Amino acid sequence: SMSVIVWWLATMVMVAVHSASAGVVELNWEVEYKLGWPDCKEGIVIAINGEFPGPTINAVAGDTVIVHVTNKLSTEGVVIHWHGIRQNGTPWADGAAGVTQCPINPGETLTYNFIVDKAGTHFYHGHYGMQRSAGLYGMMIVRSPKETLQYDGEFNLLLSDWWHQSSHAQELYLSSRPMRWIGEPQSLLINGRGQFNCSLAAYFNKGGLKECKFKENDECAPSILRVEPNKVYRLRIASTTALASLNFAVEGHQLEVVEADGNYIAPFTVDDIDLYSGETYSVLLRTHNPTPSRNYWISVGVRGRKPNTTQALTVLHYAGAPEFEHLPHPPPVTPRWDDYDRSKSFTNKIFAAKGYPPPPEKSDEQLFLLNTQNLMDKYTKWAINNVSLSVPATPYIGTIRYGLKTLNYQKPPGKEIMRDYDITKPPVNPNTTKGSGIYNLQSGRVVDVILQNANVLKGRGSEIHPWHLHGHDFWVLGYGEGKFRLGVDEKTYNLKNPPLRNTVALYPYGWTALRFLTDNPGVWFFHCHIEPHLHMGMGVVFAEGVDKIAKMNIPDQVLGCGSTREFLMNRGRH
């Protein structure tokens, strides 16, 4: 419609004016539990200012974002991680509990203050306990003052998974001896909306089912994408799932993939896209001119794990089509969950857009991270180089800033760990230990990380792990099958146009290599983005530029716990 285009031009003009001098986006948030109906069944969600998912943040590259977060959860702390924002110069605002800050106590307020230095599709989420699983998440869109992509309108699609069990029960199950696995999600949600026990497909095809009694304004009614014919729409898609890998498709429409994790990529066209937890994409969708006007399915289904969850569905509604009409075809079928070749062929199409600098030709150090599932005193854990991460009571950044004690830095394990381990079988020695998992990286270095997957604890199998790095984008140099061969596989690296990402998949029984620059002093989490896996110890921490952290101006309010609290109180007395 004309109004959409006028609105679009107005916003573009606004963006142009706005960016002449960097702006400030200031928000006041109250985080609290509330009753919700995310999948038409009552459950408890974490809401921000009463909204679930939380409000979308809209900013322009260069803006300062200030968020005053008040914790209204009466019995637990809270933090918010700004996923995809590099936090250059503000590592204390990264929102990783125990790493960059103390959780915000009930009733207290913490101000996050940081610059969004570049455009991209991002999101934010809880990073304490398993609060992300409880629904603490929302979109964060950083626009470019000079957008090079041409389109007529846009939609945000935040994808998540949902359990009927509370996140507290899930945490307890995972930490039990023996572990009780949480199982597959009951529902998938699109912008916080799903339908359990109500087949939307049947609803639209039979003109209404008794289980699907929602009205247009119900909390679980699908958010319909309303489009005009012969236009181009940008769909900004983010996955904040706790567990599921996803596939996204629009019936009768191809998708041109143009952005991944806040970086432009060389455009390519596909019928559907795979998204792992922590990834974001922009795709351009071109509408055609159906006569008569009609609706098309949008489907989201589970990949990478044997699904026990029905698809999330919504509708692409062409102007003038009947609202709740019979759709002539069933929704697009999600590709088979274990067709990994298909997943890899999608991944292998992703290259940096023209104009992005290639990575340095050589690295200064190689860090090998072997991913295994282990036992510790009959508790099931995930471990990296046989250390299962346990974050201390005093955030690392505070310990380093005030030199409170010498941190026990891990020695990067040599190549031996990889050489001697048989990744095709369950671990010979299943035992692991808990540790603080922190590596000391000097500033100004080129670091390669080689992630190596292996067999699970029992039986035959290897899982997909999406790895996410805080504080950085990295170049994805390559993927391979089986065990990484030192001196051989490096020759296969793409050093010409590898994509810049902040999240990357580690495929079953394979390896993934990435390279990044230590150009952002801080303490940065690097972990599997599957919520239960992180909860079970699947991560490491990089302390980068320790000498610079020791001189940083870190607000006292982020360090009011553990030994930093004592230190700051004593300092205040003198």
Side-chain angles (χ1 to χ4, degrees):
S1 71
M2 207 49 214
S3 62
V4 170
I5 293 172
V6 169
W7 167 83
W8 191 246
L9 288 169
T11 47
M12 291 294 61
V13 169
M14 196 169 76
V15 166
V17 170
H18 179 105
S19 61
S21 57
V24 174
V25 176
E26 189 163 2
L27 305 161
N28 290 294
W29 283 3
E30 293 190 344
V31 178
E32 62 188 323
Y33 283 108
K34 74 163 197 173
L35 286 175
W37 289 263
D39 61 353
C40 303
K41 192 173 151 54
E42 187 178 80
I44 295 173
V45 298
I46 297 184
I48 297 175
N49 297 348
E51 283 181 53
F52 162 78
T56 298
I57 298 177
N58 281 294
V60 175
D63 281 358
T64 297
V65 174
I66 302 171
V67 189
H68 308 285
V69 177
T70 301
N71 179 6
K72 298 281 242 344
L73 310 175
S74 49
T75 59
E76 56 194 299
V78 75
V79 300
I80 294 182
H81 168 56
W82 317 95
H83 184 113
I85 305 301
R86 293 184 293 193
Q87 297 294 353
N88 221 301
T90 48
W92 53 266
D94 185 50
V99 177
T100 62
Q101 72 167 97
C102 300
I104 307 166
N105 287 324
E108 295 189 352
T109 302
L110 174 70
T111 298
Y112 289 98
N113 185 328
F114 55 91
I115 289 171
V116 289
D117 63 334
K118 66 187 193 46
T121 301
H122 303 298
F123 60 106
Y124 60 82
H125 59 80
H127 216 303
Y128 184 48
M130 286 175 62
Q131 289 174 345
R132 179 158 61 95
S133 298
L136 180 49
Y137 42 69
M139 292 288 275
M140 182 161 184
I141 308 301
V142 183
R143 300 183 189 286
S144 166
K146 300 185 182 68
E147 181 57 73
T148 51
L149 299 172
Q150 305 278 309
Y151 47 93
D152 302 302
E154 68 178 37
F155 297 97
N156 296 338
L157 296 162
L158 181 58
L159 311 180
S160 57
D161 43 9
W162 183 251
W163 279 256
H164 291 161
Q165 231 164 29
S166 79
S167 61
H168 296 122
Q170 294 179 44
E171 278 187 51
L172 186 62
Y173 283 177
L174 293 167
S175 316
S176 296
R177 191 164 68 168
M179 175 192 71
R180 284 167 66 177
W181 180 241
I182 57 173
E184 297 302 305
Q186 274 68 62
S187 301
L188 299 177
L189 309 180
I190 301 173
N191 292 338
R193 294 160 178 261
Q195 295 78 32
F196 179 73
N197 254 353
C198 140
S199 153
L200 254 200
Y203 181 79
F204 278 99
N205 283 345
K206 297 182 188 135
L209 270 185
K210 58 183 184 300
E211 296 99 31
C212 299
K213 287 208 185 101
F214 49 72
K215 301 173 284 301
E216 182 72 30
N217 56 355
D218 277 7
E219 278 186 35
C220 62
S223 44
I224 289 170
L225 274 59
R226 299 180 181 279
V227 296
E228 308 269 326
N230 303 324
K231 296 265 190 287
V232 181
Y233 293 90
R234 179 181 192 164
L235 310 185
R236 294 178 180 265
I237 312 169
S239 171
T240 184
T241 54
L243 179 64
S245 303
L246 300 175
N247 180 271
F248 174 92
V250 181
E251 177 199 354
H253 295 71
Q254 287 199 306
L255 307 170
E256 186 184 7
V257 190
V258 290
E259 178 212 346
D261 294 355
N263 292 291
Y264 292 112
I265 55 175
F268 64 96
T269 302
V270 285
D271 292 325
D272 54 81
I273 66 169
D274 280 336
L275 292 104
Y276 300 99
S277 176
E279 293 187 327
T280 70
Y281 288 99
S282 279
V283 300
L284 298 181
L285 175 140
R286 289 174 174 77
T287 57
H288 30 80
N289 196 2
T291 43
S293 212
R294 57 163 282 201
N295 294 316
Y296 293 86
W297 289 115
I298 295 173
S299 71
V300 176
V302 173
R303 300 268 278 132
R305 300 180 65 85
K306 193 162 190 198
N308 193 16
T309 313
T310 52
Q311 288 179 323
L313 298 171
T314 185
V315 169
L316 186 73
H317 172 89
Y318 274 78
E323 282 297 308
F324 286 102
E325 59 151 359
H326 172 88
L327 270 77
H329 305 289
V333 176
T334 300
R336 209 181 69 235
W337 71 275
D338 58 355
D339 185 350
Y340 294 118
D341 290 341
R342 199 176 190 287
S343 315
K344 291 169 190 170
S345 83
F346 173 73
T347 301
N348 290 333
K349 292 187 175 89
I350 301 173
F351 298 103
K354 284 195 178 74
Y356 276 87
E361 298 247 320
K362 295 210 164 37
S363 65
D364 299 312
E365 49 202 290
Q366 280 182 317
L367 194 54
F368 293 94
L369 301 181
L370 175 67
N371 292 230
T372 56
Q373 192 184 29
N374 300 77
L375 278 178
M376 196 183 74
D377 195 19
K378 297 199 181 129
Y379 293 102
T380 304
K381 294 284 179 194
W382 285 93
I384 302 306
N385 299 337
N386 214 26
V387 176
S388 186
L389 181 67
S390 169
V391 173
T394 306
Y396 297 116
I397 201 166
T399 304
I400 295 169
R401 168 65 183 84
Y402 294 112
L404 297 187
K405 61 169 194 220
T406 9
L407 283 174
N408 190 7
Y409 290 116
Q410 308 270 359
K411 290 199 174 44
K415 313 158 182 61
E416 306 76 60
I417 190 154
M418 309 272 275
R419 195 184 58 211
D420 303 336
Y421 193 91
D422 185 351
I423 65 161
T424 63
K425 298 191 178 75
V428 181
N429 168 14
N431 296 323
T432 188
T433 49
K434 257 190 188 169
S436 65
I438 185 162
Y439 291 89
N440 190 349
L441 303 177
Q442 286 177 313
S443 286
R445 311 272 286 171
V446 180
V447 178
D448 281 2
V449 177
I450 291 106
L451 292 161
Q452 176 66 60
N453 214 338
N455 201 88
V456 290
L457 184 59
K458 294 190 178 101
R460 179 159 166 76
S462 182
E463 298 188 18
I464 283 193
H465 301 287
W467 276 81
H468 170 59
L469 178 59
H470 292 216
H472 293 275
D473 287 333
F474 49 71
W475 289 280
V476 183
L477 300 182
Y479 304 84
E481 311 289 323
K483 197 145 87 163
F484 185 83
R485 296 164 304 169
L486 207 71
V488 178
D489 285 327
E490 292 95 330
K491 297 187 173 73
T492 66
Y493 287 174
N494 171 13
L495 298 174
K496 197 178 76 185
N497 57 353
L500 276 169
R501 307 285 311 244
N502 61 53
T503 305
V504 70
L506 175 61
Y507 291 106
Y509 296 112
W511 56 264
T512 296
L514 46 108
R515 179 168 291 179
F516 72 99
L517 303 174
T518 57
D519 56 1
N520 190 9
V523 187
W524 306 113
F525 225 147
F526 182 46
H527 61 89
C528 174
H529 209 262
I530 290 174
E531 191 82 316
H533 291 184
L534 174 59
H535 185 68
M536 293 158 75
M538 196 167 198
V540 296
V541 175
F542 296 145
E544 184 179 324
V546 169
D547 49 329
K548 296 186 174 67
I549 298 170
K551 303 187 187 84
M552 259 177 197
N553 188 10
I554 298 174
D556 288 356
Q557 59 175 150
V558 303
L559 297 173
C561 64
S563 42
T564 37
R565 177 170 175 266
E566 252 166 273
F567 176 84
L568 293 169
M569 281 167 72
N570 290 337
R571 193 182 66 169
R573 288 196 195 103
H574 294 295

